[in-house]
Amino acid sequence: MLDSYKLKSICNLPFVCHKKINTVGTSNADVPLADPGMYQLDITLRRGQSLAARDRGGTSDPYVKFKIGRKEVFRSKTIHKNLNPVWEEKACILIDHLREPLYIKVFDYDFGLQDDFMGSAFLDLTQLELNRPTDVTLTLKDPHYPDHDLGIILLSVVLTPKEGEPRDVFQTQSLRLSDQHRKSHLWRGIVSITLIEGRDLKAMDSNGLSDPYVKFRLGHQKYKSKIMPKTLNPQWREQFDFHLYEERGGIIDITAWDKDAGKRDDFIGRCQVDLSSLSREQTHKLELQLEEGEGHLVLLVTLTASATVSISDLSVNSLEDQKEREEILKRYSPLRIFHNLKDVGFLQVKVIRAEGLMAADVTGKSDPFCVVELNNDRLLTHTVYKNLNPEWNKVFTFNVKDIHSVLEVTVYDEDRDRSADFLGKVAIPLLSIQNGEQKAYVLKNKQLTGPTKGVIYLEIDVIFNAVKASLRTLIPKEQKYIEEENRLSKQLLLRNFIRTKHCVMVLVSAAYYLNSCFEWESPPRSLAAFVLFLFVVWNFELYTIPLVLLLLLTWNYFLIISGKDNRQRDTVVEDMLEDEEEDDDKDDKDSEKKGFINKIYAIQEVCVSVQNILDEVASFGERIKNTFNWTVPFLSWLAIVALCVFTVILYFIPLRYIVLVWGINKFTKKLRSPYAIDNNELLDFLSRVPSDVQVVQYQELKPDPSHSPYKRKKNNLG
């Protein structure tokens, strides 16, 4: 009877407890709360019963969160469309003391929206008996509506003391990192989705139309399509790639939304794609009926085998094996131009070690691990515990689909509460890599605008086919997963305005210069301009346009190689980026105080749109400038080749034939390839040229000489 009473008093909210028949175990009642020892709480989340319905269809998509001291220590998987979900998930949680209760919160997952609260309860850990498995049934309640019946959650818990074994528990916790870092294993294939069109979608606006867009989700991977204004039959023609981690496939959640300025977006409908039912190496055309709404979505889905991706120890090195190296070089030789155009190259990254990292824990140490990303390919190292100078000695290989991609290497500190702390990051364009050279890269902050503490030692090799890389430059870039929505930032808005102003001022200055020639402010200059005008107009032909651009590129090239580099480092952009970083830090600290700004949807929507438009205009002008400034030599050489071809074509072929071929191609494109993705080759080319902001972010910082291990050895000897 006493045991039964003790179990019923574990939590203040009403619930029923059931004991397993087990007479072994000591009571925790005599253990003082101030006991500095650590405890391990093993929880098995069994199931839920009669949970609250939160969706329109009278069901929910429940998942469970465990929290201790306001820190999330576990999140279960989502069980779709079920009010009696069965999880059978286990969690191992390390607890410093037993003062804080374990909070259990249940939510209904809503893709793209804020998840709905389904109830909560808490467990008083001081009332649990040590080393004794206990089955617990918790009644869920809503503090605002205590009379509502929200169902029950069934758990099994075991509390055990841990003495001097923190390493094992930390290793268990490493499996409970956030979804962003949890996928350490390799994907088994690629799921390529082409969103073609929507048909007869539901009208959500007062004008009888909608502004539809589509969201896709497969596990932690998310994509969002572009918005098609004022239509019920949108034509998207967009392509996305997902990684397939499970052998049996998975479920892709698809939701359609209507974009509304100034208020919450309207839900149009949802559907799913079960990948396990689709055959591999084959393109499937799917017409999916939207549930909880109206209309259809038309997709093309292709499942292919995994690309060349691997993780190995430093002793296993593909490029040091002569036979493997020759095979890789043969695969990307100039003779294999038309073999698999998507396979542009091979990247090998050796993550050797880091030195002088930031101390993220109260002990003055960190538990660092490293995440290596190339576009949407993400791999990570193991965690080195309690170390500011970790050695990983891992080799990562990637398949390169776009030579203009940027390799991102980020160092995090692993935390027991699943939220990894940022320690530093570097971004390295593949075209700037020097093969086979071990380099110390200074770690930067999140915005890549300035240094943070520590350096990381990497050795990178990239092998690629230049012709394939050039052809891939003229097709759209691969989109990145949705990570965060654009937010309104005073500093970012100001930065984009100043960048746009610089681009406009170049045109204004050119106009003033031209007008000064007309006004004869400088007679010699005006006379020279007048003679040049007569010569150009008298001899003008269409082919002279690309010829002039070609001469400008060539002139800048000879200025650079002769040492008369006229490119100026944009310190204004660097200063603005540093100010923006400080502003972001303040925003992070004051986010709770400034939460009310999120309610002013209409103003924020307009300001964010203006902010993004200014960024696009400024980036467009900066990319044109950086093409002619030879910021990326590969792209400038590619521009020279293209301009030479255009000049020759315009010189030898009459304009009417060129326009005729262009028109026939445009009119018959959809007839020849109904599901082709529309693109503009010139804009795709410019999208690979970095803007001034990206030039600053990709700039390599010089390491502090004191970080050199060789210098430190000499100092130690002295």
Side-chain angles (χ1 to χ4, degrees):
M1 291 295 295
L2 182 62
D3 286 345
S4 213
Y5 172 78
K6 187 181 297 182
L7 286 171
K8 286 186 180 180
S9 64
I10 289 179
C11 67
N12 293 344
L13 295 177
F15 66 93
V16 180
C17 300
H18 305 278
K19 294 187 300 174
K20 288 186 178 179
I21 300 174
N22 189 347
T23 58
V24 180
T26 37
S27 173
N28 190 30
D30 299 330
V31 179
L33 293 180
D35 188 355
M38 301 182 104
Y39 298 88
Q40 179 175 319
L41 181 64
D42 293 295
I43 306 176
T44 302
L45 174 61
R46 298 291 185 191
R47 63 187 185 275
Q49 290 181 0
S50 304
L51 300 185
R54 296 297 190 218
D55 294 338
R56 297 180 185 178
T59 184
S60 292
D61 305 313
Y63 67 90
V64 180
K65 286 183 180 180
F66 294 161
K67 289 189 175 184
I68 294 180
R70 296 186 179 182
K71 291 184 177 181
E72 183 181 320
V73 293
F74 172 80
R75 173 172 172 166
S76 74
K77 63 186 177 184
T78 301
I79 306 295
H80 293 282
K81 298 183 180 180
N82 200 327
L83 299 182
N84 298 287
V86 177
W87 284 285
E88 293 296 337
E89 290 189 64
K90 295 183 179 181
C92 176
I93 303 169
L94 186 68
I95 302 171
D96 295 320
H97 55 77
L98 303 179
R99 291 194 198 94
E100 298 283 355
L102 174 71
Y103 280 89
I104 296 95
K105 294 188 176 183
V106 184
F107 293 89
D108 167 51
Y109 170 75
D110 281 332
F111 181 57
L113 296 174
Q114 183 174 355
D115 295 345
D116 298 320
F117 178 70
M118 295 178 63
S120 66
F122 68 88
L123 194 64
D124 186 352
L125 301 180
T126 63
Q127 298 300 316
L128 287 176
E129 295 188 6
L130 296 179
N131 301 311
R132 188 167 194 169
T134 307
D135 290 342
V136 180
T137 301
L138 300 176
T139 299
L140 297 173
K141 292 292 182 181
D142 186 340
H144 299 292
Y145 306 98
D147 297 333
H148 289 191
D149 182 12
L150 301 179
I152 59 175
I153 291 290
L154 285 79
L155 310 172
S156 295
V157 295
V158 183
L159 182 67
T160 54
K162 299 293 289 185
E163 297 293 340
E165 297 180 0
R167 174 63 61 86
D168 294 338
V169 180
F170 275 117
Q171 289 175 344
T172 304
Q173 288 297 322
S174 68
L175 301 176
R176 286 293 171 190
L177 293 171
S178 64
D179 283 342
Q180 183 180 4
H181 307 304
R182 193 170 59 189
K183 295 293 184 182
S184 59
H185 58 289
L186 302 181
W187 46 95
R188 301 175 180 274
I190 303 294
V191 184
S192 179
I193 295 180
T194 303
L195 174 61
I196 303 298
E197 63 186 4
R199 297 175 183 169
D200 303 321
L201 300 185
K202 188 176 181 180
M204 306 302 294
D205 296 337
S206 57
N207 58 6
L209 299 172
S210 293
D211 305 308
Y213 66 92
V214 180
K215 289 183 177 181
F216 297 84
R217 177 167 183 158
L218 176 62
H220 69 292
Q221 307 168 82
K222 304 176 188 176
Y223 277 119
K224 177 181 175 182
S225 77
K226 60 189 176 185
I227 300 168
M228 304 302 292
K230 298 179 181 177
T231 179
L232 299 181
N233 298 283
Q235 299 283 323
W236 281 288
R237 300 291 197 277
E238 290 187 81
Q239 194 263 333
F240 315 97
D241 285 340
F242 288 105
H243 292 144
L244 188 61
Y245 290 95
E246 300 179 20
E247 184 69 39
R248 62 181 182 278
I251 302 292
I252 298 180
D253 291 313
I254 305 171
T255 51
W257 300 86
D258 168 54
K259 181 66 176 176
D260 280 333
K263 58 181 181 178
R264 203 177 196 185
D265 294 349
D266 296 322
F267 176 76
I268 295 178
R270 74 170 72 222
C271 56
Q272 292 183 330
V273 176
D274 185 358
L275 298 177
S276 62
S277 63
L278 302 179
S279 56
R280 306 222 169 188
E281 308 299 337
Q282 183 179 345
T283 299
H284 305 267
K285 181 183 177 183
L286 306 178
E287 296 186 18
L288 304 174
Q289 171 74 44
L290 289 176
E291 301 175 8
E292 304 175 34
E294 300 174 6
H296 296 76
L297 293 179
V298 180
L299 311 174
L300 297 180
V301 182
T302 308
L303 278 69
T304 57
S306 178
T308 309
V309 181
S310 69
I311 306 176
S312 61
D313 292 326
L314 202 59
S315 57
V316 183
N317 187 342
S318 298
L319 293 181
E320 288 184 1
D321 185 322
Q322 189 61 33
K323 187 175 180 180
E324 282 193 46
R325 185 181 183 89
E326 289 177 359
E327 192 170 326
I328 292 170
L329 289 171
K330 182 181 177 181
R331 190 193 314 164
Y332 302 108
S333 69
L335 299 178
R336 306 196 66 181
I337 296 173
F338 300 106
H339 182 268
N340 191 3
L341 288 176
K342 290 186 178 181
D343 186 14
V344 171
F346 172 86
L347 175 68
Q348 177 178 280
V349 184
K350 294 182 185 177
V351 181
I352 300 168
R353 67 185 186 279
E355 293 183 351
L357 296 180
M358 187 189 310
D361 299 336
V362 292
T363 58
K365 299 288 185 180
S366 291
D367 304 318
F369 67 96
C370 192
V371 178
V372 184
E373 298 173 81
L374 184 69
N375 292 331
N376 290 315
D377 295 347
R378 183 195 304 264
L379 300 173
L380 63 153
T381 67
H382 60 283
T383 302
V384 179
Y385 295 98
K386 300 187 183 304
N387 201 322
L388 299 181
N389 302 289
E391 292 192 9
W392 293 290
N393 292 321
K394 290 292 181 183
V395 180
F396 301 88
T397 62
F398 295 91
N399 180 256
V400 178
K401 293 177 280 187
D402 188 346
I403 197 59
H404 309 289
S405 301
V406 177
L407 175 70
E408 295 183 358
V409 182
T410 312
V411 183
Y412 292 94
D413 167 63
E414 180 184 315
D415 261 338
R416 294 201 310 269
D417 62 357
R418 286 197 339 145
S419 178
D421 295 326
F422 176 85
L423 297 180
K425 180 179 184 178
V426 292
I428 308 165
L430 297 188
L431 286 171
S432 69
I433 290 171
Q434 297 176 341
N435 285 353
E437 180 181 349
Q438 184 182 138
K439 296 181 70 173
Y441 293 89
V442 176
L443 293 173
K444 296 184 177 182
N445 53 37
K446 286 184 180 180
Q447 290 75 29
L448 296 169
T449 56
T452 187
K453 194 173 181 184
V455 296
I456 186 167
Y457 288 84
L458 306 172
E459 184 179 326
I460 312 173
D461 291 88
V462 60
I463 298 171
F464 66 97
N465 184 299
V467 178
K468 285 185 182 181
S470 301
L471 295 175
R472 288 284 293 177
T473 305
L474 303 179
I475 65 174
K477 289 177 67 175
E478 179 182 0
Q479 294 192 39
K480 292 209 74 173
Y481 298 152
I482 300 174
E483 294 182 352
E484 59 182 15
E485 295 290 335
N486 290 324
R487 62 174 182 172
L488 180 61
S489 167
K490 179 180 66 178
Q491 291 292 335
L492 183 58
L493 186 61
L494 177 62
R495 184 191 81 187
N496 291 342
F497 175 77
I498 294 175
R499 290 170 58 209
T500 305
K501 182 182 175 183
H502 283 172
C503 296
V504 172
M505 289 306 297
V506 170
L507 300 177
V508 171
S509 299
Y512 276 123
Y513 184 86
L514 188 61
N515 187 62
S516 69
C517 294
F518 296 151
E519 297 293 334
W520 291 83
E521 294 177 5
S522 172
R525 185 177 64 194
S526 297
L527 181 61
F530 181 59
V531 173
L532 181 63
F533 169 76
L534 294 175
F535 176 79
V536 169
V537 172
W538 184 258
N539 295 283
F540 179 78
E541 296 289 346
L542 197 59
Y543 66 83
T544 57
I545 296 176
L547 183 61
V548 169
L549 298 177
L550 180 61
L551 292 174
L552 181 58
L553 267 169
T554 307
W555 174 257
N556 281 342
Y557 175 74
F558 282 112
L559 283 179
I560 292 169
I561 63 173
S562 64
K564 299 176 182 178
D565 191 350
N566 61 347
R567 297 176 294 179
Q568 295 180 351
R569 185 175 171 180
D570 199 340
T571 56
V572 176
V573 172
E574 290 187 30
D575 293 340
M576 285 190 293
L577 284 169
E578 290 175 5
D579 292 341
E580 181 189 333
E581 177 202 345
E582 294 174 3
D583 187 67
D584 284 343
D585 291 340
K586 291 177 183 177
D587 287 344
D588 291 339
K589 294 176 183 176
D590 300 336
S591 59
E592 293 183 5
K593 298 178 183 178
K594 297 180 180 179
F596 71 90
I597 197 172
N598 295 324
K599 298 177 182 178
I600 314 176
Y601 289 113
I603 298 175
Q604 182 166 337
E605 186 93 25
V606 173
C607 291
V608 169
S609 298
V610 172
Q611 177 177 286
N612 294 339
I613 290 171
L614 290 174
D615 178 57
E616 289 179 9
V617 172
S619 296
F620 184 78
E622 291 166 357
R623 284 175 171 139
I624 294 174
K625 177 197 71 174
N626 291 335
T627 301
F628 287 94
N629 278 350
W630 291 79
T631 301
V632 181
F634 181 91
L635 290 171
S636 297
W637 280 115
L638 186 58
I640 281 184
V641 172
L643 290 172
C644 287
V645 172
F646 292 152
T647 302
V648 171
I649 289 174
L650 290 171
Y651 183 81
F652 287 105
I653 302 176
L655 181 60
R656 67 173 65 89
Y657 294 129
I658 297 173
V659 175
L660 187 64
V661 171
W662 174 84
I664 292 173
N665 175 64
K666 282 293 183 182
F667 276 104
T668 61
K669 186 174 183 179
K670 191 162 185 178
L671 298 176
R672 289 181 285 111
S673 182
Y675 304 121
I677 297 173
D678 296 330
N679 70 301
N680 183 295
E681 288 78 5
L682 178 60
L683 295 181
D684 291 333
F685 171 85
L686 288 175
S687 70
R688 268 60 174 211
V689 182
S691 65
D692 286 351
V693 172
Q694 291 172 320
V695 169
V696 174
Q697 291 175 335
Y698 302 157
Q699 184 179 0
E700 187 178 333
L701 300 179
K702 293 183 179 179
D704 187 343
S706 62
H707 283 301
S708 173
Y710 305 107
K711 185 167 184 177
R712 193 160 54 243
K713 287 178 183 178
K714 291 180 181 178
N715 292 341
N716 292 340
L717 290 173

